Amino acid sequence: MDIYAAGAVAAFTVDVIIYPLDTLKTRYQSQDYLSIYGTSGRKALAPRGLYQGIGSVVLATLPAAGLFFSTYEKAKTTIGALPLHQSLVHSSASAIAELASCLVLAPAEVIKQNAQMLREGPAKSGVSTSLQAWRQLAANDAPRRLFTGYTALVARNLPFTALQFPIFEYLRSWAWERRQQGSREKGVWETGLIAGASAGSAGAVAAWVTTPSDVVKTRMMLMAGRPGRRSGEGGAEDGKGSSWTVTRQIYRERGLAGFFRGALFRSGWTALGSCLYLGTYDGAKLWLRRRRGDADGDDLTVL
């Protein structure tokens, strides 16, 4: 199997595994979760409908991952022709690839997060929650609202990637320096475990730091499904609000602490997801190299 296809399948598998934590995070960050789930904040954390909206993830994950890797390779080849340091080439190419993949991810995120907030699941309505969310958006000018929060999504993903990968590379190199003895050959399982532990730690830190932009993104995307003004959501009469408007509203409501709502959930599922995804990815790369008879490289880069 091609390594990019393996990466896309790994990303999809991880998304399915950690999806319930993402649902809990969305509900906890939402301004409306108390009115929807009752007077007790703990009810927002009840294990109900934790896979609502997963249909949009199923449809978006594979093309988004494929678009990311194909764009990255083309951008890396183009930018690599310039007299730039390799680290700048890789970071620039990954940034361009992230911008492209967000074009696919943004509409899916809007549908997913609105589906995660629905009171009734498919068992009661007979319709999938993703389709229910789509119909709700369609009644409110869906084509325009599907890209609500795109800038906030980019503002979250770009710094997250910029933080995660340098930390990941450093921790992985440090771990190999401590583990390797002489010229001992790297094992596939050991490679996966070291990469996974390094990626999980890096992902948790990056996720915590970028939680404020994630809170803004969540609030903006949930506003897309609301036709009128909602209490505490951006102050826009038509259910819209700029990133700056939503940011000021969050600060007025809860101060700085409001920007870190759901940080533990986000750090937890990101650590688990990064560990499984990048650990599997690095292990798969080494396994494929050996099956093809290639030499065992000293550094198995992720991108």
Side-chain angles (χ1 to χ4, degrees):
M1 180 184 293
D2 184 85
I3 192 63
Y4 299 136
V9 173
F12 167 74
T13 303
V14 169
D15 281 345
V16 172
I17 293 173
I18 66 177
Y19 193 83
L21 288 176
D22 182 59
T23 299
L24 293 176
K25 184 267 300 181
T26 297
R27 292 173 178 174
Y28 196 65
Q29 287 180 346
S30 169
Q31 175 63 15
D32 291 340
Y33 80 94
L34 284 176
S35 62
I36 292 178
Y37 291 98
T39 56
S40 171
R42 289 190 295 272
K43 289 186 178 181
L45 310 182
R48 64 174 70 172
L50 294 183
Y51 278 94
Q52 289 182 186
I54 196 171
S56 61
V57 173
V58 171
L59 293 176
T61 296
L62 297 181
L67 182 60
F68 178 90
F69 283 116
S70 61
T71 303
Y72 174 78
E73 290 299 333
K74 291 179 181 179
K76 184 173 65 173
T77 300
T78 302
I79 300 173
L82 301 175
L84 297 173
H85 191 274
Q86 280 299 102
S87 61
L88 279 176
V89 172
H90 292 160
S91 61
S92 300
S94 63
I96 294 172
E98 194 70 58
L99 289 171
S101 67
C102 282
L103 290 173
V104 176
L105 290 175
E109 280 279 312
V110 171
I111 294 172
K112 178 196 77 174
Q113 294 201 303
N114 279 277
Q116 288 172 331
M117 295 297 295
L118 292 173
R119 300 190 191 196
E120 296 184 355
K124 292 184 178 181
S125 66
V127 179
S128 74
T129 50
S130 293
L131 185 56
Q132 289 181 61
W134 164 254
R135 288 177 176 175
Q136 179 176 291
L137 289 162
N140 298 311
D141 191 12
R144 179 169 56 92
R145 293 185 179 235
L146 281 177
F147 285 92
T148 299
Y150 171 78
T151 54
L153 180 65
V154 170
R156 182 198 71 177
N157 286 5
L158 291 185
F160 174 83
T161 302
L163 283 171
Q164 183 187 27
F165 281 96
I167 298 174
F168 164 65
E169 293 287 356
Y170 172 79
L171 291 177
R172 186 176 60 174
S173 297
W174 175 82
W176 276 118
E177 287 176 2
R178 293 180 61 87
R179 288 286 294 166
Q180 281 188 310
Q181 300 173 1
S183 59
R184 185 166 63 89
E185 188 180 58
K186 293 180 180 179
V188 173
W189 284 104
E190 187 178 28
T191 295
L193 287 173
I194 288 179
S198 302
S201 301
V205 173
W208 183 278
V209 173
T210 57
T211 294
S213 58
D214 185 61
V215 173
V216 174
K217 177 196 72 71
T218 296
R219 292 280 290 271
M220 290 183 69
M221 288 185 170
L222 291 178
M223 286 164 56
R226 294 164 172 75
R229 179 175 178 173
R230 303 288 297 200
S231 176
E233 291 200 338
E237 295 295 337
D238 61 353
K240 299 184 295 180
S242 67
S243 298
W244 177 240
T245 300
V246 175
T247 298
R248 287 186 301 172
Q249 187 68 33
I250 294 171
Y251 182 76
R252 284 197 297 268
E253 291 167 0
R254 300 181 182 275
L256 291 176
F259 292 102
F260 287 90
R261 291 186 66 80
L264 288 177
F265 286 116
R266 177 167 158 72
S267 293
W269 71 252
T270 301
L272 177 60
S274 297
C275 178
L276 293 174
Y277 175 49
L278 296 180
T280 301
Y281 194 90
D282 257 17
K285 285 181 71 174
L286 179 58
W287 181 76
L288 286 172
R289 282 185 178 184
R290 290 183 176 169
R291 278 184 61 89
R292 294 169 182 168
D294 293 342
D296 180 26
D298 291 331
D299 182 28
L300 297 176
T301 57
V302 176
L303 293 177

